[in-house]
Amino acid sequence: QVQLVESGGGLVQAGGSLRLSCAASGRTFSNYAMGWFRQAPGKDREFVAGISWGGGSTNYADSVKGRFTISRDNAKNTVYLQMNSLKPDDTAVYFCAAANSYGYTKLRLYDYWGQGTQVSVSS
């Protein structure tokens, strides 16, 4: 089992920045690729960003490319999502998730999930 706890959400004005963190415990963190997803009110949960076991490979949804950056620190068992130039459309609950392979963008391929952290962007 892997336990995931997100933090760092909040309310920010459009154009601002936030950094989300996801702390992992349980099985060896570096064995898992990690992803960030988000779910806006009334919408399906969607892929945002993913990162490989060692952090050398990343992928992003088109809607966040150039604005968001995913990273990880395996010594701290933590994955991050730096979000810049935030827009009202980025308002959602953000979830981190762990998978046994890198490159997945589908929810069902992720094995472990956090409870989420709310990000609200005002116009």
Side-chain angles (χ1 to χ4, degrees):
Q1 290 285 341
V2 176
Q3 292 78 41
L4 302 172
V5 179
E6 302 94 337
S7 62
L11 174 63
V12 63
Q13 288 188 330
S17 297
L18 282 174
R19 188 176 82 153
L20 306 183
S21 299
C22 172
S25 60
R27 292 189 176 180
T28 305
F29 177 67
S30 58
N31 287 348
Y32 292 90
M34 299 297 295
W36 284 98
F37 290 76
R38 66 186 181 186
Q39 188 166 17
K43 295 188 177 181
D44 293 336
R45 194 171 300 187
E46 64 177 4
F47 173 79
V48 174
I51 190 166
S52 59
W53 304 275
S57 297
T58 58
N59 61 324
Y60 297 92
D62 288 343
S63 59
V64 306
K65 278 181 183 176
R67 300 189 298 123
F68 290 12
T69 302
I70 188 171
S71 62
R72 67 189 295 162
D73 185 339
N74 286 343
K76 295 183 178 180
N77 289 351
T78 302
V79 62
Y80 305 98
L81 185 68
Q82 178 66 44
M83 306 186 294
N84 298 330
S85 302
L86 282 161
K87 306 175 181 179
D89 284 350
D90 295 318
T91 295
V93 177
Y94 283 71
F95 300 87
C96 68
N100 58 17
S101 292
Y102 167 68
Y104 294 155
T105 61
K106 297 186 181 299
L107 280 69
R108 60 181 175 84
L109 297 176
Y110 282 78
D111 301 308
Y112 302 103
W113 291 84
Q115 293 300 306
T117 185
Q118 176 71 48
V119 171
S120 299
V121 184
S122 62
S123 57

